[in-house]
Amino acid sequence: MPATRQRLYINVDHVATLRQARRGSEPDPLEAARVCEAAGADGITAHLREDRRHVQDSDVRGLRKVIKTYFNLELACVPEMLAIALATKPEQVTLVPERREEVTTEGGLDLAHDPGRIRAAIEELRSAGIRASLFIDPTADSVERSCDLGCDAVELHTGRYSHAPEERARLDELRHAAERAAALGIAVHAGHGLSIANVRPVSAIAEIEELNIGHSIVSRALFVGLRAAVAEMKEAMRSARMFDVAPPPP
Ligand code: PXP
């Protein structure tokens, strides 16, 4: 039986993507955050990209005010973004790699390149009382480097698994990375490309405490509504974790 209750954080980026299609005011990611929390989300995640393609600076300030659960802000490890994090004070920052031409975050952080910069960012965040997580590829090397850098948590990139959930090796690499991180005493999160169809085997990995899921929930919400889409995901996690997940409210 998994020891830690697993949390679901909903990434509201793609609510902002839809709004930015018209550069208007709807749909509002702040309203989405409220609905997700009412539906049982344990936290809200948003990625302020350097190109501001979806979430805007004003969304980050607004989310900080409306989120009652837990705010996980995803950012590139650059001075501009770190200054925003320190001013916003989310409960957690997840440092992610960013390339302007990518459609989405395609891989984990390159921890071999300029580790001093990542270490300094972690120290700055932690001394401001912000939990620091690193979005990494699910390999033992990435986990060990992350631990050396002094982070509180790693978020394992589930993109490779999500593209081929039937391939046993993809799930095994997540499991092994999660076990290694837990053995080193760092918290384990996971996310990217997870959906109601592929979430259960990942959710069942005992060491994974937190899932960050966005695109599939916002997509599903078009057909069943956001509240139902969040509740469905929680139920899928609960069944995979033998109910070690807080139930969605009635
Ligand atoms: N975790 C991180 C670090 C991400 O960058 C993303 C995508 O922005 C997600 C989770 C959520 O991925 P998806 O939208 O595919 O569920």
Side-chain angles (χ1 to χ4, degrees), residues 11 13 74 96 105 135 155 191-193 212-215:
N11 181 315
D13 292 355
E74 297 177 357
V96 300
T105 317
F135 189 45
E155 180 176 340
H192 205 281
N212 283 286
I213 307 181
H215 187 267

